[in-house]
């Protein structure tokens, strides 16, 4: 058995976590087994599942700059004591540039994986940009969730390199295939059966742009009072968004359901999926939404790679909330859902069953 070490920061629900767990569930674990290193000691959403699947979880120190010597020593000792690892797959960026050389000195194959297209703004973002620059020269293999994410982290010429791979964020397409009976059941449970429903699935963090989404929803309510908004997810800005809902007198119109295990049912309950992100690598929720047959309106800041069906429309944020609201209201009038099957050749590339086989072969062939 080959044990692959996944360095992922935390095991809370998020895009990169959801991606690697989809692969982990489907991969042949008699051949490939995953273990995880995180730098957050908090219990994550996937911890129990990982342990049940046979994986181990280790906690590394957080990197603060001042603890550089101690941090690198920890990694060196850890890899010295765990000779079973032949591959380390890095889903973190700036810290990876410190860890990759340590792993390579011990003969370990290294994979860097870009899941984003921005570090944000400010001094901290500049520091991260500088720290992550060496990765393009260090890692044995360069993965990215989209071409934009690859060019952003590794440089515009990365597409010419033989060790570069675009690895799509994947979903269990069978799980998300539209189910009208379960849609009706959940809508009745949530008491929204007679309402038009727009929705969003994503972590409550700055890039997801929830404040803009709430402003769009306010404009939608000016046009159509019989509309509800479902927000699925958790995160550091959730309380701020909840408080804003109260301030806007929309606490009864906005359903903040948190992280849920049955995300697919919430997609089915929606009529239009709205995603006004400021930046994205490859948002798995937009893939899931399309797999569920939803019409999607998304920001033009999101990669074009995510367009895997005709049921998606890009809008610039600059046109304003009123124009977004008009587009959403026009689509709400259609109220037509279509099942989106794996037979769709574009969607097939995002299917976790197919991707798990690719990863299985890749890990076996690089050691």
């Amino acid at each position: 058995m080959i044990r692959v070490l996944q360095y992922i920061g935390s095991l809370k629900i998020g895009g990169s976590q959801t991606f690697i767990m989809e692969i982990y569930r489907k991969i042949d674990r008699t051949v490939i087994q995953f273990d995880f290193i995180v730098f957050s000691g908090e219990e994550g959403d996937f911890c129990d599942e990982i342990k049940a699947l046979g994986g181990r979880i280790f906690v590394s120190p957080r990197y603060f700059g001042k603890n550089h010597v101690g941090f690198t020593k920890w990694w060196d000792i850890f890899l010295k004591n765990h000779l079973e690892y032949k591959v380390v797959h890095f889903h973190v960026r700036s810290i990876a540039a410190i860890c990759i050389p340590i792993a390579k000195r011990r003969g370990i194959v290294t994979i860097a994986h870009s899941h984003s297209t921005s570090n944000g703004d400010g001094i901290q973002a500049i520091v991260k940009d500088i720290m992550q620059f060496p990765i393009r020269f260090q890692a044995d293999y360069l993965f990215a969730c989209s071409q934009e994410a690859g060019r952003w982290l590794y440089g515009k010429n990365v597409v010419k390199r033989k060790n570069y791979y675009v690895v799509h964020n994947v979903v269990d397409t069978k799980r998300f295939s539209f189910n009208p009976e379960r849609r009706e059941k959940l809508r009745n449970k949530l008491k929204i059966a007679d309402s038009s429903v727009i929705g969003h699935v994503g972590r409550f963090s700055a890039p997801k742009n929830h404040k803009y989404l709430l402003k769009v929803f306010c404009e939608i309510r000016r046009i159509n009072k019989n509309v509800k908004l479902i927000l699925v997810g958790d995160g550091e800005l959730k309380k701020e968004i909840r408080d804003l809902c109260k301030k806007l007198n929309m606490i009864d119109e906005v359903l903040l359901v948190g992280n849920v295990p049955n995300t697919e049912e919430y997609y089915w309950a929606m009529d239009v999926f709205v995603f006004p992100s400021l930046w994205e690598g490859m948002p798995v929720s937009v893939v899931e939404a399309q797999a569920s047959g939803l019409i999607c309106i998304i920001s033009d800041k999101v990669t074009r790679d995510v367009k895997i069906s005709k049921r998606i429309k890009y809008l610039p944020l600059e046109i304003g909330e009123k124009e977004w609201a008009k587009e959403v209201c026009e689509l709400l009038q259609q109220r037509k859902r279509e099942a989106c099957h794996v037979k769709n050749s574009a969607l097939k590339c995002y299917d976790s069953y197919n991707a798990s086989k690719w990863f299985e072969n890749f890990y076996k062939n690089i050691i």
Side-chain angles (χ1 to χ4, degrees):
M1 180 191 294
I2 301 169
R3 297 196 82 97
V4 177
L5 187 61
Q6 306 282 349
Y7 190 23
I8 201 163
S10 84
L11 290 170
K12 293 183 177 181
I13 290 177
S16 56
Q17 290 87 349
T18 299
F19 161 76
I20 201 61
M21 288 303 296
E22 276 299 322
I23 300 298
Y24 190 28
R25 294 179 188 117
K26 307 297 189 308
I27 208 165
D28 185 348
R29 292 184 299 279
T30 65
V31 178
I32 306 289
Q33 180 57 258
F34 289 174
D35 292 329
F36 296 80
I37 285 191
V38 298
F39 49 74
S40 170
E42 299 176 10
E43 190 73 10
D45 301 280
F46 296 114
C47 289
D48 290 341
E49 183 180 5
I50 287 169
K51 293 171 185 176
L53 295 175
R56 297 175 293 183
I57 302 169
F58 304 97
V59 179
S60 80
R62 281 187 174 274
Y63 183 78
F64 297 108
K66 293 181 179 180
N67 67 337
H68 180 83
V69 173
F71 180 84
T72 55
K73 184 177 180 180
W74 184 94
W75 265 91
D76 194 51
I77 293 173
F78 177 86
L79 294 176
K80 180 181 179 180
N81 292 335
H82 290 276
L83 301 177
E84 66 270 27
Y85 298 119
K86 306 301 181 185
V87 180
V88 182
H89 193 148
F90 292 91
H91 301 273
V92 294
R93 297 186 298 275
S94 52
I95 301 172
I98 299 169
C99 304
I100 289 172
I102 300 171
K104 292 187 73 172
R105 284 198 297 269
R106 294 197 171 275
I108 298 172
V109 178
T110 56
I111 302 170
H113 202 140
S114 178
H115 291 277
S116 186
T117 57
S118 175
N119 280 320
D121 300 314
I123 298 297
Q124 190 175 21
I126 295 172
V127 172
K128 288 181 178 180
D129 288 342
I130 294 170
M131 288 183 65
Q132 71 192 24
F133 183 79
I135 292 174
R136 65 189 70 184
F137 309 113
Q138 297 171 325
D140 295 304
Y141 297 94
L142 307 174
F143 284 9
C145 60
S146 66
Q147 291 288 12
E148 285 90 341
R151 287 191 288 266
W152 172 71
L153 184 58
Y154 310 124
K156 63 181 181 180
N157 292 322
V158 69
V159 294
K160 301 176 183 178
R161 297 179 61 171
K162 294 182 179 179
N163 65 336
Y164 170 66
Y165 298 85
V166 173
V167 182
H168 297 298
N169 285 353
V170 295
V171 301
D172 184 340
T173 53
K174 293 180 181 178
R175 172 188 166 194
F176 289 94
S177 184
F178 182 54
N179 186 314
E181 291 78 21
R182 289 169 68 184
R183 165 188 164 88
E184 183 178 354
K185 183 178 179 180
L186 181 60
R187 285 171 66 96
N188 286 330
K189 179 182 177 181
L190 297 175
K191 299 180 181 180
I192 56 172
D194 298 324
S195 300
S196 296
V197 179
I198 66 173
H200 178 277
V201 177
R203 181 172 175 78
F204 283 81
S205 59
K208 300 300 182 185
N209 210 9
H210 282 85
K211 290 182 180 180
Y212 190 94
L213 176 56
L214 283 181
K215 291 178 182 178
V216 172
F217 184 59
C218 284
E219 294 298 331
I220 292 171
R221 294 272 303 171
R222 296 181 194 277
I223 302 170
N224 182 353
K225 293 293 184 183
N226 190 32
V227 180
K228 301 291 185 183
L229 171 63
I230 293 179
L231 299 178
V232 180
D234 211 338
E236 62 273 14
L237 297 183
K238 186 175 181 180
K239 183 181 183 302
E240 184 178 336
I241 296 303
R242 186 188 299 276
D243 291 343
L244 182 57
C245 289
K246 292 178 181 178
K247 182 178 179 180
L248 296 171
N249 296 317
M250 294 195 305
I251 197 66
D252 294 329
E253 282 68 45
V254 181
L255 286 71
L256 292 92
V257 299
N259 288 329
V260 293
N262 58 330
T263 317
E264 67 279 11
E265 295 186 6
Y266 285 86
Y267 286 115
W268 299 335
M270 300 171 192
D271 297 305
V272 176
F273 186 78
V274 185
F275 200 79
S277 283
L278 296 171
W279 69 80
E280 289 285 344
M282 182 65 172
V284 67
S285 58
V286 180
V287 178
E288 292 172 345
Q290 290 174 92
S292 76
L294 264 175
I295 297 175
C296 305
I297 293 185
I298 69 175
S299 161
D300 65 353
K301 302 295 190 294
V302 179
T303 174
R304 261 56 180 177
D305 289 2
V306 82
K307 183 178 174 63
I308 58 174
S309 75
K310 295 179 180 179
R311 302 173 69 77
I312 191 167
K313 184 169 186 176
Y314 289 88
L315 290 180
L317 296 171
E318 293 77 14
I319 66 173
E321 297 88 349
K322 289 185 179 180
E323 291 302 316
W324 273 67
K326 288 179 183 178
E327 293 284 351
V328 173
C329 288
E330 287 180 11
L331 293 174
L332 283 173
Q333 292 177 2
Q334 299 179 17
R335 296 290 291 273
K336 183 181 179 182
R337 294 293 296 268
E338 296 178 1
C340 194
H341 300 290
V342 182
K343 291 181 180 178
N344 175 331
S345 59
L347 184 58
K348 192 172 183 180
C349 297
Y350 294 82
D351 181 61
S352 55
Y353 289 93
N354 297 324
S356 66
K357 295 303 175 187
W358 185 90
F359 269 93
E360 189 177 311
N361 291 326
F362 186 86
Y363 286 135
K364 287 192 295 185
N365 291 332
I366 63 175
I367 62 173

